[in-house]
Amino acid sequence: MLLLADFLTGYIVRDKIYTDIKALPNYENALVLGTAKYYAKGTPNLYYKYRLETALELYKKGKVKKLLLSGDNKTPYYNEPKTMSLDLRRMGVQNVDLSQDFAGYRTLDSVVRAAEVYHLQPFVIITQEFHCERALFIAKTHNIDAVCFAAKYPEGHIKVRLREILARIGMIWDYVSGVKPETLEKVGEAILPATTSTKISEDK
């Protein structure tokens, strides 16, 4: 059952995933799915690095004009959208082309809110390919017009891929149970203390 759910998730959305930037049509908006910049031990999170590099490439080459950065900001000590925004600005993205969604607590929240709160349709999702499949399955089951451009996948991260299989079971359960995003309101940024941590132990 686990393997079947994993296979079907990818198969159903296979025609919506791009890996060749030349083949990707031009879009006004892209949704960048958040993750931590660092792991708990302080080592860089390559999922984060590759997602931002991909977002920058699509932006610089004119494939997308605006970036919505969606991630977790539930506590004053952890802020994925703000961290992504600061780094992308340093990388050369204009501030006017960046928006932040502070209520992207899960992939479900990020994808549905991009459509229903920020009205981005149609849009490109930016994340790794295995995550693209889950995000696009959510989009498809919510009648959201989206495609995904796959960021580079870090080599040797087998545990993350195995956790993805379980995440897909949870996604299917959410669909069957009619689970909705935690909120469909715009959420303001948390007030952060001077020492803000952006570390977690695992990628989403």
Side-chain angles (χ1 to χ4, degrees):
M1 290 295 292
L2 290 174
L3 294 176
L4 180 61
D6 183 57
F7 170 76
L8 288 177
T9 299
Y11 184 80
I12 289 171
V13 300
R14 67 194 183 282
D15 60 334
K16 296 285 189 179
I17 298 175
Y18 290 84
T19 56
D20 180 359
I21 193 168
K22 294 179 181 179
L24 179 71
N26 293 348
Y27 283 82
E28 181 73 18
N29 297 294
L31 167 67
V32 186
L33 296 180
T35 186
K37 184 174 181 178
Y38 299 102
Y39 291 115
K41 294 181 179 179
T43 55
N45 180 355
L46 292 179
Y47 290 93
Y48 176 93
K49 179 177 183 291
Y50 294 151
R51 289 180 199 180
L52 263 60
E53 288 178 351
T54 299
L56 179 65
E57 183 180 16
L58 297 187
Y59 176 80
K60 290 291 188 181
K61 292 190 176 180
K63 289 295 181 176
V64 299
K65 297 179 181 178
K66 306 284 185 180
L67 300 173
L68 175 63
L69 314 173
S70 181
D72 197 349
N73 180 40
K74 269 190 172 180
T75 78
Y77 302 96
Y78 185 71
N79 193 324
E80 291 174 355
K82 183 175 182 179
T83 302
M84 289 191 290
S85 180
L86 291 172
D87 283 343
L88 284 167
R89 285 164 60 187
R90 294 187 190 103
M91 294 162 73
V93 179
Q94 296 296 311
N95 190 51
V96 68
D97 295 327
L98 296 170
S99 299
Q100 300 174 58
D101 180 9
F102 299 105
Y105 307 128
R106 300 190 304 159
T107 305
L108 170 68
D109 298 79
S110 293
V111 173
V112 175
R113 285 174 55 81
E116 297 191 16
V117 178
Y118 293 90
H119 310 293
L120 300 191
Q121 296 189 76
F123 59 91
V124 184
I125 301 168
I126 298 173
T127 187
Q128 277 69 31
E129 186 167 358
F130 72 90
H131 198 194
C132 278
E133 294 174 350
R134 178 155 50 98
L136 288 172
F137 184 92
I138 291 169
K140 186 177 183 66
T141 54
H142 287 79
N143 297 313
I144 294 170
D145 186 1
V147 299
C148 192
F149 192 87
K152 182 178 177 181
Y153 181 82
E155 296 180 2
H157 286 234
I158 303 300
K159 289 183 179 179
V160 173
R161 184 62 185 88
L162 293 175
R163 285 201 307 272
E164 174 65 17
I165 296 176
L166 297 178
R168 293 181 182 195
I169 295 297
M171 172 195 68
I172 293 171
W173 176 255
D174 286 346
Y175 171 63
V176 172
S177 304
V179 173
K180 304 295 183 183
E182 186 167 322
T183 177
L184 288 176
E185 301 292 333
K186 287 195 175 181
V187 176
E189 179 185 2
I191 299 176
L192 302 177
T195 55
T196 300
S197 170
T198 58
K199 300 178 182 179
I200 57 172
S201 58
E202 299 177 340
D203 180 64
K204 283 186 176 178

